Amino acid sequence: MIRRDFCKTSFALAGLALRSKRLDASASPAEEFPKTPGLTKYVSEFIVNAKYEDIPENVVALGKKTILDGFGLSLAGSASVMGPRIRQYIETLGCASGKASIIGTKMKVHPRFAALANGISIHADDYDDTGSALHVAAPVLPPAFALCESGNRSGKD
């Protein structure tokens, strides 16, 4: 689904909800939303108990494309104006040694700084607001790359 179509749908649903329910200024925010007991526990248990083998093949294929998209954006962004700036900043912090790579360079730093630099690079030339594609991995992929590399983990892990 294209983001702007999702937003149109979300805004339409929000408008319907607001029209059908009179908002009381004295009502607390907790009273505004429906109660969903156990939802966080359910989602958490689903994530913890999920096995790679249980993921449908088409979802794995889409995941691989998303990872490749994020990696490509990070690689391109490492050559943008922002790439050298964030690397220079990290060097001034004395953090230029570690086990996690800053994509597009030979630098290895602490995972948190690799995630920072790679996250900035992913967003440097990211034009996903045009409605062409969603780059949903941008906030998750940099720390995942950094932690997996420093912990010697695979994609399946």
Side-chain angles (χ1 to χ4, degrees):
M1 173 180 273
I2 295 175
R3 184 183 311 184
R4 75 178 126 215
D5 292 340
F6 175 76
C7 289
K8 286 178 189 175
T9 305
S10 298
F11 289 138
L13 290 174
L16 289 172
L18 289 175
R19 190 169 23 148
S20 66
K21 180 180 178 188
R22 185 178 151 263
L23 293 177
D24 184 5
S26 64
S28 71
E31 295 172 351
E32 300 286 329
F33 297 101
K35 305 283 186 218
T36 52
L39 180 61
T40 301
K41 182 179 180 193
Y42 171 80
V43 171
S44 301
E45 287 175 352
F46 175 82
I47 292 169
V48 168
N49 295 323
K51 293 180 178 62
Y52 182 83
E53 297 78 27
D54 298 334
I55 302 172
E57 195 173 308
N58 63 331
V59 174
V60 171
L62 182 59
K64 288 177 180 180
K65 287 170 95 173
T66 302
I67 290 169
L68 184 60
D69 176 64
F71 181 79
L73 284 168
S74 190
L75 184 59
S78 71
S80 75
V81 173
M82 296 307 299
R85 286 187 181 166
I86 188 60
R87 292 191 297 271
Q88 185 178 35
Y89 173 70
I90 290 170
E91 286 174 344
T92 67
L93 298 174
C95 304
S97 64
K99 295 182 178 182
S101 298
I102 295 179
I103 295 172
T105 73
K106 292 181 181 181
M107 280 181 76
K108 290 211 179 236
V109 295
H110 186 280
R112 98 175 55 157
F113 296 110
L116 172 67
N118 294 331
I120 288 171
S121 291
I122 281 179
H123 289 291
D125 292 322
D126 188 1
Y127 301 110
D128 65 328
D129 291 336
T130 62
S132 60
L134 295 176
H135 300 290
V136 295
V140 177
L141 202 55
F145 276 157
L147 291 172
C148 287
E149 181 180 15
S150 64
N152 201 23
R153 300 288 188 136
S154 72
K156 286 183 181 181
D157 292 340

